[in-house]
Amino acid sequence: MLQLAGVQCAGNPHFWVNEDGSYQEEGQKNTRGYIWGKAGTKLVCAFLSLPVPSRYSTSCGFLSSNVVARTVPDYTDHGVVHKLLLVGYSGSGTSTIFKQAKILYKSTPFSEKERGNIKLTIQTNVYAYLGILLEGRERFEEESLGNLKKNQSLLYTTGTSPKHGNKTVYSIGTRLKAFSDWLLKTMVSGKLDAIFPAATREYTPLIEELWNDSAIKATYERRNEIEMLPSVASYFLERAIQILRTDYEPSDIDILYAEGVTSSNGLASVEFSFPQSAPVEAGDTDDLHDSLARYELITIHARGLGDNCKWLEMFEDVGLVIFCVSLSDYNQFSTDGNSCLTNKMILSRKLFETIVTHPTFEQMDFLLLLNKMDEFEEKIEHIPLTQCDWFSDFHPIISHNRPGSNNNINNNPSLSQLASHYIAVKFKRLYSSLTGQNLYVSLVKGLEPDSVDASLKYGKEILKWNEEKPNFSLSDDSMHSIEASSFSH
Ligand SMILES: Nc1nc2c(ncn2[C@@H]2O[C@H](COP(=O)(O)OP(=O)(O)OP(=O)(O)O)[C@@H](O)[C@H]2O)c(=O)[nH]1
Ligand SMILES: [Mg+2]
């Protein structure tokens, strides 16, 4: 029976099945699953006319296809953990949203051991940012020297003697130069993390001297011209001295902003409950149920999914897939598998297509997170959305008496609102053409806790709708679910 229900029985394990349908391997405490919710059980029971507990029977003829075919998470059944899988194209913000969830819902978001590792990651990042800055300094120095030489040769021809040596505003003294050479060599050899923890004791005075040097200050002013330097680097570099001290303890915000905190294959998970929003009033059990229900947010780096995302099979028991897209990718480029420079929004769309059509996720609900709304609001004002080929037909009619770009007075949507809704509809149409289902969408600012909280709660509602309203119509007006969440932040 268990085999027919689709329970993995390789190696002939012995299972104990309880009245509520939960089953455990003999001698083990962990519930492995619930047979009544399994599609196989329903099929076998229907075929053999076996009785099924009433709340698991699917006699309703109007069940949405999403619900019939999949294991329905039992929202009120305590002990069941509802799994949410968070994925997205590289740099879309999955790690940020994952860390944000930990900070939001866990009383101890990061253990002492994790904090120790994160501290080293942040300190290594600071050295790496300094290295990138020093590389920039070398480039600026060479450019300045080149210009100087040109000017000098001009002066020679006009008979005036040169006044300058080989120094420019970007030049540093021999001690700092030696340190800079060593740091760049260490970075190139990929051994930067090996210099810790000794680096924090030995090199901090040198870093302080370097950071206060006028050449570095001049380089830092031109940081926008250093492409390799991520925008988040400033947050850490401006506190470099404090961060590189042995007694530095990263704050939650430091951890949120830090790059490379999740493991190398990016697989991580956190179990949590949504906290109760207000004290439970008499008779209001909804909120109590909400706060008792357990969720597991699992994230995996796209890289860790293997060719054609074959490892997605591991996640067949999730109840919702959350796919994260960076809105600000529309004018950015990266290389695809064939080393071809491609627009990052298109690369993100490709991954989306692969995941939504993956056999493991047939009939699965998907929530699309359109992330980095803050960056997008700024960017869209001076870089047209049509820079991405997929968005070539975006021609919004903007009211001329728009009071301000982000102002929604008089119901005049801002350009960023029009553009983000347009992108949402693009993804919705694509999703529906591939799966015949409705895609849920939420706009989010990954660095803002309230925004991430609202989006994850939207995910919780989607799971709940499946549970509570099995005949909930999923063929609503395509904008409905966008509207329901777009303005929640
Ligand atoms: N401005 C802004 N930056 C964001 C937002 N969300 C994430 N970021 C930044 O975007 C960068 C990439 O975010 P990550 O969370 O590391 O993205 P990821 O999907 O884990 O990417 P990789 O693991 O590097 O492939 C980080 O520097 C984040 O701080 C957002 O909503 N707004
Ligand atoms: Mg990541």
Side-chain angles (χ1 to χ4, degrees):
M1 178 69 194
L2 286 166
Q3 252 169 350
L4 288 171
V7 175
Q8 292 287 334
C9 295
N12 282 333
H14 288 213
F15 287 108
W16 287 342
V17 184
N18 305 310
E19 196 183 352
D20 64 357
S22 61
Y23 59 91
Q24 293 118 348
E25 214 168 316
E26 196 167 51
Q28 307 242 330
K29 277 195 202 139
N30 295 348
T31 295
R32 296 276 300 271
Y34 289 80
I35 61 164
W36 296 125
K38 289 188 178 284
T41 319
K42 288 175 197 162
L43 214 80
V44 173
C45 291
F47 189 69
L48 301 175
S49 304
L50 295 174
V52 173
S54 59
R55 66 189 170 133
Y56 289 99
S57 70
T58 53
S59 55
C60 172
F62 302 104
L63 280 176
S64 77
S65 55
N66 291 35
V67 177
V68 174
R70 296 205 63 83
T71 305
V72 179
D74 184 345
Y75 199 76
T76 52
D77 210 343
H78 312 314
V80 178
V81 179
H82 308 300
K83 296 187 179 182
L84 309 156
L85 177 66
L86 173 66
V87 280
Y89 179 69
S90 183
S92 60
T94 48
S95 307
T96 305
I97 288 164
F98 182 79
K99 285 184 278 183
Q100 196 71 269
K102 280 184 126 183
I103 296 168
L104 276 164
Y105 308 128
K106 301 295 281 185
S107 52
T108 314
F110 306 98
S111 66
E112 280 305 307
K113 192 168 167 239
E114 278 178 300
R115 281 186 182 275
N117 289 335
I118 293 169
K119 171 181 169 176
L120 278 184
T121 303
I122 293 177
Q123 290 179 327
T124 313
N125 288 352
V126 167
Y127 268 85
Y129 298 149
L130 277 169
I132 296 170
L133 210 60
L134 286 168
E135 253 171 3
R137 183 206 69 80
E138 281 189 355
R139 198 180 84 208
F140 295 156
E141 186 182 28
E142 273 167 32
E143 278 170 14
S144 294
L145 280 174
N147 288 339
L148 215 66
K149 281 199 183 116
K150 248 190 253 159
N151 291 343
Q152 281 174 357
S153 57
L154 267 176
L155 292 174
Y156 268 129
T157 51
T158 54
T160 330
S161 58
K163 282 193 189 114
H164 306 283
N166 275 346
K167 277 210 174 330
T168 79
V169 62
Y170 302 106
S171 305
I172 47 176
T174 36
R175 226 160 72 89
L176 288 183
K177 179 76 174 78
F179 178 67
S180 164
D181 289 346
W182 168 82
L183 182 58
L184 290 179
K185 223 171 82 191
T186 312
M187 264 175 77
V188 170
S189 66
K191 291 183 186 139
L192 200 54
D193 47 354
I195 66 171
F196 289 97
T200 44
R201 288 193 301 269
E202 291 169 28
Y203 308 129
T204 308
L206 263 173
I207 297 280
E208 194 163 352
E209 193 181 328
L210 193 74
W211 186 243
N212 291 323
D213 192 279
S214 59
I216 295 298
K217 285 199 167 109
T219 306
Y220 186 66
E221 291 206 341
R222 289 178 64 184
R223 61 187 173 280
N224 291 341
E225 295 169 56
I226 306 173
E227 280 163 22
M228 291 294 289
L229 198 68
S231 52
V232 76
S234 306
Y235 174 83
F236 293 102
L237 277 175
E238 281 164 22
R239 288 164 47 232
I241 315 294
Q242 181 210 334
I243 290 173
L244 293 180
R245 280 211 296 255
T246 28
D247 61 354
Y248 163 65
E249 285 186 11
S251 70
D252 284 351
I253 302 287
D254 291 356
I255 296 175
L256 185 68
Y257 282 36
E259 293 186 284
V261 165
T262 34
S263 59
S264 58
N265 63 2
L267 180 64
S269 85
V270 58
E271 213 183 295
F272 63 91
S273 291
F274 287 96
Q276 243 166 270
S277 47
V280 187
E281 293 186 11
D284 178 12
T285 51
D286 247 26
D287 204 36
L288 183 66
H289 272 153
D290 273 19
S291 67
L292 287 174
R294 304 284 304 159
Y295 297 86
E296 185 182 6
L297 183 68
I298 307 163
T299 186
I300 182 159
H301 200 282
R303 235 186 358 246
L305 289 173
D307 296 338
N308 290 323
C309 299
K310 63 176 173 192
W311 297 119
L312 280 181
E313 285 170 21
M314 295 189 298
F315 305 105
E316 61 149 19
D317 58 344
V318 304
L320 178 73
V321 179
I322 303 177
F323 190 89
C324 189
V325 169
S326 162
L327 280 170
S328 59
D329 273 359
Y330 73 90
N331 72 328
Q332 292 179 359
F333 288 82
S334 187
T335 45
D336 66 2
N338 308 320
S339 322
C340 194
L341 205 62
T342 312
N343 182 288
K344 276 169 80 172
M345 187 58 86
I346 304 290
L347 292 173
S348 200
R349 182 183 75 180
K350 263 193 197 151
L351 180 67
F352 177 76
E353 285 172 338
T354 310
I355 292 181
V356 302
T357 54
H358 196 278
T360 304
F361 294 151
E362 221 183 323
Q363 312 293 334
M364 176 71 73
D365 273 329
F366 273 78
L367 168 62
L368 177 73
L369 292 190
L370 293 179
N371 188 32
K372 305 198 188 178
M373 194 56 195
D374 53 334
E375 231 173 60
F376 186 68
E377 279 163 359
E378 266 185 56
K379 192 181 260 191
I380 196 77
E381 292 295 329
H382 55 269
I383 302 174
L385 194 64
T386 46
Q387 286 215 351
C388 172
D389 290 345
W390 191 27
F391 304 144
S392 59
D393 59 343
F394 178 66
H395 303 297
I397 301 162
I398 305 278
S399 159
H400 287 295
N401 46 20
R402 212 157 40 110
S405 57
N406 289 327
N407 210 323
N408 202 15
I409 301 171
N410 304 331
N411 284 336
N412 279 339
S414 66
L415 181 58
S416 62
Q417 282 169 335
L418 289 170
S420 54
H421 280 206
Y422 165 89
I423 296 175
V425 171
K426 280 278 187 190
F427 272 100
K428 274 174 161 285
R429 291 199 179 137
L430 173 67
Y431 181 76
S432 130
S433 74
L434 293 170
T435 67
Q437 288 173 205
N438 184 43
L439 175 69
Y440 299 97
V441 184
S442 181
L443 303 179
V444 63
K445 296 176 183 174
L447 297 174
E448 293 182 13
D450 291 350
S451 173
V452 173
D453 183 41
S455 289
L456 292 176
K457 282 184 175 151
Y458 187 45
K460 176 191 75 174
E461 292 305 315
I462 297 168
L463 287 170
K464 210 168 153 188
W465 290 334
N466 263 352
E467 166 72 15
E468 291 175 355
K469 299 179 193 164
N471 53 356
F472 179 72
S473 164
L474 294 179
S475 56
D476 283 359
D477 156 30
S478 75
M479 286 302 287
H480 171 82
S481 56
I482 306 173
E483 236 97 59
S485 59
S486 306
F487 307 109
S488 56
H489 54 258

